[in-house]
Amino acid sequence: MIEVRNDDGVLVEKGEGQVYLGGRQRVCFLDDEMTLPYGTMRRTGDWVKIQDGNIFFIGRKDNQIKRHGKRLNTEYIQQVVDKLEPVDSCAVVWYRAKQLVLFVVLKKPLEKKSLWRYLQAHLLSYTLPDDLVVVDRMPLTTHGKIDHSRLNVIYCEHLQQKMDLKLPVLPDDLWCNLQDLWKSVLGLPEECSDISEDSVFLLSGGDSLKAMRFHEEVEKVAGRSVPGLLEVILSDTFLDIHRCILRGTSPVMENLQDQTSVNATESHIQHIVDVTENYLVKRKAEAPTLQMDAPSFVSLSRGNRLFLNVCRGGPDQKCEVIHGLSPDLLQFIGCNISGPKRQRTKLTPSPEQVITLQERWTSDTGKCVDASPLLVISSEKDSTGTVYIGSHSHRLQALDLDTGAVLWERILGDRIESSAAVSKCGKFILVGCYDGAVYVLRRRSGETHWVFTTGSAVKSSPAVDPVSGLAFIGSHDQYLYALDINVKQCVWKAHCQGGAVFSSPCVSTSPHHLYVATLGGRLLALDPVTGKNLWMIDMGKPMFSSPTCNQHHVFIGCVDANLYCFTHMGEKLWQFPSDGPIFSTPCMSPLSEHITFGSHDSFIYCCTAEAELLWKYKTSSQVYATPFTFPNPHTGNAELLAAASTDGNVWILDALSGLLVSHCALGGEVFSSPVLYGTRLVVGCRNNLVYCFDLIWNEK
């Protein structure tokens, strides 16, 4: 009898597991055994995969390791590398259960950099070794097999030799070494031009796994651990990486950093108390007149984040249908309007109809547009929809949604990657900037209302509390700030206990919680009123994805390739695996509450709130951006999904089946997330342009 079981001994009917032999008709005795319980099953050590009723051999379980959150068989690496043209033989060692080391015997001399390029071209990213050692011949046992014990000794000696030869790194040497390491890890040719100061690792072809390898190689060159280096690699420029290493390897600077960190924490605790008391007094005196004449509006931003300010009267009153907002969309986004909700179905376009994306307008910002658009549709009769979006050119543009005309433009202090948000009153636009400031501008004119300064670059996008109206935003100074826009007051700031805040906060109204994730790998829940820490989870890996939530769950993606689900009390419910790091923020359908997200494995995934995979769609490149679900404006009973891959392709899918509906190619890479209103899609591109497309239903 043959069975396949997982690591917990549970029978597997689909997926991976270990082969067991035995049963009632077959008895396997080992060593001096004379009797066995009836029906005993023996582990064979063979790891297999069951697919479509067939069993496929993967390798020996002894060669199975868990690395970067994924199960990996070292035999796979050896089989692939053995087939490479310059390789005579190879072996893989899991050194001290920490480092994956590849030993290679070459057919003829070859530079190590060239060999790395071979590996990057043929191995999956998460299977690339941590180190590569070229040897003259493989050590063998008396039985003629590769001696892995001896290879471990050889690698230990190899590391010791490298440490003995280590010399202090001078600034000029460090710059050159960084250039070489950058090119090597990213697989760039040696003859390519020098890396520019403003190059960003993730935007130059890197991913989180390559960043970790680059981090390890840099620390080997530096000869010591460099605090905060991985975060800088993941988020800042080449020049910032160089400066971080110089600071981290200077004893004087390290002592100063330690003192600054302690003082910042102490002042933070006092700061919350003082500011909160002052704020309450000031807010009580000035607040009554602040909401007067506030216009009704709806705002849409990446991942279906919607802010609605259209209700009149008590909580049981019906929403007004404001100018330019259809009843169908109001129903779709959850307003209590008259009449029953129409049941939505899978999109089945007529054979005579084809959906296309037709360019409506573009706006040139002067440099890359990595920020995602904010769309604001106002109830004022003389107002049309407006797009707010920032650029690397320091520009923040307000664009007419219909025509693309520039309504106003501001040049801020530095690059803008933060996506804008609108205040609860609808009068102000908020956006973070690389100069460390949060700019608050008047929505209609772009005039400055307030500039709040943090301690470092602000790449996080603001989130506005629909209950209190406070705006929450993170900074690379590792703090989360609560800002009262109307009275120009920082209510509190909370230290995120290690790690810069790159992603956007998420506000839950029931329970009234605030969620934030850090590049240090921590997910925190805070009290939005006081900033008090309610709970914290250490994920162990950086998080670029922003948390999102519904009434029962909190979802977030991680660079360990998993989508996680927690309760509002911080209890982990499940994790859903992809095959690549997840930078995309989970997008939840307001109708079905299905979750969609993109992965660096090039797939868009759709699953239920119970972690059941509904479908996945293979795009043409990595998916960094966040998907956006929206109602089919022509049929009214189907849900569509828009997404973008980094190679510049925009995809329209049926949200219930994952089938391709339409797609188009832009003129550059895309890290911006698409946002839709009605039949119009807006997205930024790294060719300096903001695009607006119309979804057109054409007859064949």
Side-chain angles (χ1 to χ4, degrees), residues 5 45 55 63 74 110 161 184 193 213 247 267 269 333 353 377 383 396 447 457 461 479 495 508 532 580 600 621 686:
R5 301 181 184 179
I55 298 178
N63 297 324
T74 57
L110 181 70
Q161 289 174 1
S184 173
S193 58
R213 185 182 148 222
R247 286 195 303 267
S267 64
I269 297 172
I333 60 182
Q353 287 187 332
I377 295 89
S383 174
L396 179 69
E447 295 176 354
S461 301
Y479 279 91
H495 193 268
S508 167
K532 179 182 177 182
H600 266 41
S621 184
R686 302 205 86 234

Side-chain angles (χ1 to χ4, degrees), residues 413-435:
D414 207 330
R415 185 163 64 185
I416 304 168
E417 288 185 7
S418 168
S419 300
V422 62
S423 63
K424 182 181 179 182
C425 67
K427 296 179 179 180
F428 307 110
I429 295 296
L430 303 73
V431 69
C433 185
Y434 262 58
D435 64 1

Side-chain angles (χ1 to χ4, degrees), residues 517-643:
T518 75
L519 294 184
R522 289 175 175 171
L523 176 64
L524 299 95
L526 306 175
D527 183 332
V529 177
T530 65
K532 179 182 177 182
N533 190 350
L534 302 176
W535 51 261
M536 181 190 73
I537 297 171
D538 191 345
M539 308 287 282
K541 299 291 183 182
M543 284 179 286
F544 290 83
S545 173
S546 300
T548 191
C549 65
N550 61 12
Q551 187 177 355
H552 304 290
H553 306 118
V554 181
F555 305 96
I556 190 165
C558 185
V559 300
D560 68 1
N562 288 297
L563 176 73
Y564 290 89
C565 176
F566 300 91
T567 68
H568 285 286
M569 297 299 106
E571 177 189 358
K572 178 183 168 183
L573 297 178
W574 49 259
Q575 65 187 67
F576 180 91
S578 73
D579 288 321
I582 299 173
F583 292 80
S584 172
T585 295
C587 169
M588 182 175 297
S589 162
L591 174 69
S592 65
E593 294 202 346
H594 294 163
I595 301 105
T596 54
F597 64 94
S599 170
H600 266 41
D601 64 7
S602 302
F603 278 93
I604 300 166
Y605 292 82
C606 180
C607 67
T608 67
E610 291 74 38
E612 177 189 357
L613 177 65
L614 298 175
W615 55 261
K616 64 178 185 177
Y617 180 82
K618 175 74 170 179
T619 71
S620 52
S621 184
Q622 299 168 333
V623 182
Y624 182 95
T626 298
F628 191 98
T629 56
F630 61 101
N632 184 332
H634 282 256
T635 65
N637 64 344
E639 190 177 8
L640 302 177
L641 177 141

Side-chain angles (χ1 to χ4, degrees), residues 418-479:
S418 168
S419 300
V422 62
S423 63
K424 182 181 179 182
C425 67
K427 296 179 179 180
F428 307 110
I429 295 296
L430 303 73
V431 69
C433 185
Y434 262 58
D435 64 1
V438 180
Y439 289 84
V440 184
L441 310 176
R442 296 192 179 276
R443 183 165 70 88
R444 285 200 154 194
S445 65
E447 295 176 354
T448 301
H449 171 70
W450 182 36
V451 178
F452 175 77
T453 304
T454 73
S456 188
V458 179
K459 305 177 187 179
S460 171
S461 301
V464 176
D465 188 344
V467 177
S468 66
L470 293 179
F472 306 105
I473 192 166
S475 169
H476 268 51
D477 64 5
Q478 302 189 10
Y479 279 91

Side-chain angles (χ1 to χ4, degrees), residues 471-536:
F472 306 105
I473 192 166
S475 169
H476 268 51
D477 64 5
Q478 302 189 10
Y479 279 91
L480 182 70
Y481 295 86
L483 307 178
D484 188 318
I485 302 305
N486 293 306
V487 298
K488 306 178 184 179
Q489 178 73 65
C490 176
V491 181
W492 53 258
K493 69 174 185 177
H495 193 268
C496 292
Q497 305 179 41
V501 181
F502 175 91
S503 63
S504 303
C506 174
V507 181
S508 167
T509 55
S510 180
H512 196 202
H513 286 181
L514 175 65
Y515 301 106
V516 64
T518 75
L519 294 184
R522 289 175 175 171
L523 176 64
L524 299 95
L526 306 175
D527 183 332
V529 177
T530 65
K532 179 182 177 182
N533 190 350
L534 302 176
W535 51 261
M536 181 190 73

